[in-house]
Amino acid sequence: MKNGRRAFMGKAFGAVAGVGAVASLYAMKKSWDPLPSVRSAGFTTLDMSAYKENELVVEKWRGKPIFVLKKTAAMLAKQTDADKARDVLVNGEHYMVCIGLCTHLGCIPGYRPESSDFLCACHGGMYDFTGMVTKAPPPRGLDIPPFKVDGNKLVLGEEGPEYKKMKETGITL
Amino acid sequence: MAHFTKATSVHDWINQRLGIDTVRRVMATEYWIPKNINFLWAMGMVLAITFALLLVSGIFLLMYYQPNVNTAFDSVNYTIMREVDFGWLWRHVHGVAASVVFLVIYIHMFTGIYYGSYKNGREMIWISGMLLFVTFSAEAFSGYMLPWGQMSYWAGMVITNLFSLGGLHADGIVEWIRGDYVPAQAFLDRFFMLHVLLLPLAIMGVIGLHFGALRIPHVNNQDGEELDFEKEAAKYKAGDKKGSKVIAFANDFMSKDLFVVGIFLIFFFYLVFFHYDFAMDPVNFDPADGLKTPAHIYPEWYFLWSYEILRPFSTNIGLMAFGFAQVIFFLLPFLDRSPNAIPANRRGLFSLWFWAMLVDMIVLTAMGKLPPEGIFSTIGLVAALVFIGLWIALPFITKSEKKA
């Protein structure tokens, strides 16, 4: 009888402590989540009419560099279908919009306007003007950030239909 | 309640209430250390002293350091280094000790491996020691974030990126760890907390476990001789100090321990005063900039060997090799199938294994520092494969080892 009562008290304590432990772990996990202010600052709106052809502009989105390159007619003529699928179209103009971090180890590649390609100084990886890899070690082309076309503007951080399509077809991750 | 008598002295008064004589006997005068050891047995004490140096210098740094992305860099490089009297001393002691502590940890580990001090009852010493290696690594990494220079930022970026688990692209975990999309205020604050509170607490707890794990199996000796500690202790206590194979931890053994510590401290402060720069990466004297990557990102020297195991492979295989390297040392007591706990030089093939592992880790360290180009990346790849191969071979070569 005595032992039965002790065992019950032990189990009752275990149950209370268990619920408390799980609840505290949940609170601890949530406390480490990015804050609402951090999340709401996770959107960048770009006015796409301001860019000049073959001039790379580095914007900032979620603390990461974003490459924006308005393509020239000569570039468009050279593009294959696979290249075209990576283009972001705003008002009929073609843009390359990519996260400017090498997909190898996250260094920032530099743009060379004369040869219109990117060279990553860290490990010698190269990308063409569409952001596709032309020389290893990068495992894939530059990633495209989530975007939504809104008239003349491009909102980074929101997933528009064009972006969702790119993701489905595996053009970007 | 226990019976208390009128105290005859301050010592007696305290002893009746706290039992300090018993504590002293258990911890010092009747804690037995074999005589047949060498200076390598003093590394534990050297580590304890280095940890104390880190703690004290850290307390002084903590009084002026500001964990804020706008002020952190200046609070270290201006306030502590130029304004605070002797601020430079605390920083250099802290930086040099953080580097040297790993050198001594590696010596301590390889001493254990050489003399077989991880088996036949000493498994928990090894495992708790490996836990200390992991917690010290986390402590070193979190501390490296705090000056918020370019290397802090980019090391933080690259290391937290590892948690996306390569091909799994678990970016949610990475953002959760950072509390932001990139290392920023939330990241700096939480790594500050980890560095000054949670990890030091964990380290102190595990040090307690490490010491406790030593208690029952006792310290190993140079010949791996199995001592009957009770018998030898009885001999010692009966006055046959010469015939006994053991001595008391304090003050007998301690005096030798502290002599080695003294020599270590001369070397240590020589580094602090004249060669502190080896522990201070020049790139980290540029403030953190998320839009500019340093040309070469490499970790501090003590992480280079595991970095080099990650680097020569493609992302996923590299991560797996890296994960393997992080946990495999834990399994040493179980992968070594031989019952012999004797020095490596008397263990046949294992002797080769020991030296091959040591040389391989030195090669990995050297290659990790060099840019991964041409012949260096080939040597790095071979060394990484040799590392993995040696661990796979270990159970087989130890299994066929003859009983000594």
Side-chain angles (χ1 to χ4, degrees):
Chain A
M1 188 59 214
K2 230 181 191 174
N3 273 338
R5 203 182 289 175
R6 272 192 198 140
F8 170 75
M9 286 167 79
K11 278 178 195 141
F13 172 74
V16 171
V19 169
V22 170
S24 338
L25 278 178
Y26 179 73
M28 289 172 191
K29 189 268 166 194
K30 295 296 276 181
S31 292
W32 269 50
D33 277 349
L35 302 177
S37 55
V38 168
R39 288 236 181 261
S40 61
F43 300 94
T44 302
T45 305
L46 305 175
D47 180 359
M48 301 306 279
S49 57
Y51 298 100
K52 296 194 187 82
E53 286 184 354
N54 197 26
E55 192 180 289
L56 185 83
V57 180
V58 182
E59 304 283 359
K60 204 171 163 185
W61 168 72
R62 295 186 180 174
K64 293 171 190 165
I66 299 295
F67 290 164
V68 183
L69 179 70
K70 190 174 179 182
K71 291 180 178 172
T72 61
M75 285 177 180
L76 291 176
K78 264 196 278 181
Q79 291 202 132
T80 63
D81 282 347
D83 292 339
K84 276 183 199 145
R86 293 175 60 88
D87 279 359
V88 174
L89 281 132
V90 181
N91 268 349
E93 302 281 0
H94 292 249
Y95 298 88
M96 181 207 76
V97 180
C98 288
I99 297 176
L101 297 173
C102 184
T103 52
H104 180 226
L105 284 174
C107 298
I108 303 173
Y111 186 61
R112 303 188 295 184
E114 62 285 358
S115 53
S116 48
D117 63 355
F118 295 90
L119 171 69
C120 181
C122 286
H123 304 104
M126 283 167 79
Y127 303 86
D128 63 15
F129 61 84
T130 67
M132 299 268 257
V133 184
T134 51
K135 184 173 167 284
R140 58 176 191 280
L142 294 172
D143 292 328
I144 297 168
F147 66 88
K148 196 179 137 199
V149 181
D150 182 11
N152 249 348
K153 298 200 165 67
L154 192 70
V155 184
L156 299 180
E158 237 179 289
E159 299 193 0
E162 296 92 342
Y163 175 75
K164 280 186 183 143
K165 203 179 144 216
M166 284 185 180
K167 218 171 168 180
E168 274 161 25
T169 50
I171 288 164
T172 188
L173 282 169
Chain B
M1 190 170 146
H3 182 65
F4 286 83
T5 56
K6 188 169 166 48
T8 54
S9 65
V10 175
H11 175 92
D12 183 47
W13 190 89
I14 297 171
N15 191 40
Q16 284 193 45
R17 285 155 183 82
L18 293 177
I20 51 173
D21 280 355
T22 312
V23 172
R24 199 172 111 83
R25 185 165 49 76
V26 172
M27 305 295 279
T29 56
E30 292 187 16
Y31 174 43
W32 307 103
I33 305 290
K35 282 180 182 172
N36 184 21
I37 56 177
N38 60 44
F39 79 99
L40 290 167
W41 269 252
M43 293 304 138
M45 185 60 80
V46 169
L47 284 170
I49 297 289
T50 313
F51 182 67
L53 284 166
L54 283 163
L55 196 64
V56 172
S57 57
I59 286 169
F60 282 87
L61 292 172
L62 187 50
M63 289 188 270
Y64 289 96
Y65 175 73
Q66 296 176 18
N68 178 297
V69 289
N70 299 313
T71 56
F73 185 83
D74 285 338
S75 75
V76 174
N77 290 302
Y78 183 76
T79 311
I80 291 173
M81 290 304 285
R82 293 177 182 219
E83 284 200 291
V84 179
D85 263 350
F86 288 99
W88 58 270
L89 178 68
W90 307 123
R91 190 190 185 192
H92 290 167
V93 165
H94 208 70
V96 170
S99 198
V100 167
V101 85
F102 278 93
L103 176 68
V104 185
I105 286 175
Y106 285 132
I107 296 174
H108 197 53
M109 271 173 74
F110 274 93
T111 304
I113 300 176
Y114 186 84
Y115 289 101
S117 312
Y118 50 85
K119 49 184 172 176
N120 299 354
R122 296 197 176 90
E123 291 84 354
M124 281 311 296
I125 306 174
W126 179 262
I127 291 167
S128 57
M130 281 308 300
L131 281 174
L132 279 173
F133 177 74
V134 171
T135 41
F136 265 88
S137 299
E139 180 70 359
F141 172 73
S142 57
Y144 200 62
M145 299 299 103
L146 302 187
W148 209 241
Q150 273 289 70
M151 271 300 186
S152 304
Y153 183 91
W154 287 96
M157 180 78 109
V158 171
I159 298 295
T160 48
N161 261 340
L162 292 178
F163 290 90
S164 69
L165 306 176
L168 295 180
H169 296 286
D171 294 333
I173 302 178
V174 177
E175 282 162 21
W176 181 73
I177 292 170
R178 291 176 185 161
D180 203 329
Y181 304 105
V182 286
Q185 185 57 47
F187 173 88
L188 180 58
D189 256 332
R190 66 187 53 176
F191 276 81
F192 172 69
M193 177 283 289
L194 289 173
H195 187 71
V196 304
L197 179 67
L198 192 56
L199 290 168
L201 271 182
I203 285 174
M204 287 188 265
V206 184
I207 288 176
L209 176 65
H210 197 52
F211 287 176
L214 207 54
R215 195 76 210 185
I216 296 169
H218 284 85
V219 176
N220 195 7
N221 55 71
Q222 274 194 99
D223 293 308
E225 186 187 352
E226 218 177 291
L227 296 181
D228 183 340
F229 278 88
E230 277 170 31
K231 201 180 101 202
E232 299 300 331
K235 246 195 245 173
Y236 185 94
K237 281 200 277 185
D240 183 13
K241 293 189 180 182
K242 211 163 186 181
S244 172
K245 287 181 175 173
V246 298
I247 51 169
F249 174 71
N251 302 322
D252 315 12
F253 171 65
M254 203 63 147
S255 61
K256 298 191 178 189
D257 231 6
L258 289 179
F259 182 78
V260 179
V261 168
I263 291 175
F264 165 75
L265 287 177
I266 291 169
F267 161 74
F268 176 80
F269 280 101
Y270 166 74
L271 292 179
V272 167
F273 293 128
F274 303 106
H275 278 292
Y276 54 84
D277 50 323
F278 86 95
M280 305 258 162
D281 196 297
V283 180
N284 219 24
F285 286 89
D286 291 326
D289 182 352
L291 295 182
K292 202 173 129 237
T293 338
H296 290 293
I297 304 175
Y298 43 80
E300 288 291 277
W301 72 267
Y302 40 85
F303 293 142
L304 285 171
W305 68 271
S306 54
Y307 178 66
E308 186 57 26
I309 289 172
L310 167 84
R311 209 168 54 162
F313 302 105
S314 65
T315 316
N316 287 333
I317 297 171
L319 263 180
M320 279 186 257
F322 183 71
F324 175 85
Q326 300 305 310
V327 299
I328 198 67
F329 274 95
F330 274 96
L331 299 180
L332 176 63
F334 312 104
L335 292 176
D336 182 344
R337 308 300 303 162
S338 156
N340 300 329
I342 50 174
N345 66 349
R346 286 196 248 138
R347 289 183 58 191
L349 269 182
F350 181 80
S351 166
L352 280 178
W353 188 92
F354 173 85
W355 292 109
M357 179 56 78
L358 185 62
V359 170
D360 192 52
M361 285 183 71
I362 292 168
V363 170
L364 283 169
T365 301
M367 292 306 125
K369 184 81 188 186
L370 296 165
E373 287 151 14
I375 185 76
F376 300 136
S377 79
T378 314
I379 297 174
L381 175 65
V382 171
L385 292 173
V386 167
F387 179 86
I388 296 166
L390 281 172
W391 282 104
I392 293 171
L394 182 62
F396 300 103
I397 64 168
T398 48
K399 186 120 204 179
S400 64
E401 194 175 309
K402 280 192 213 85
K403 176 105 180 81

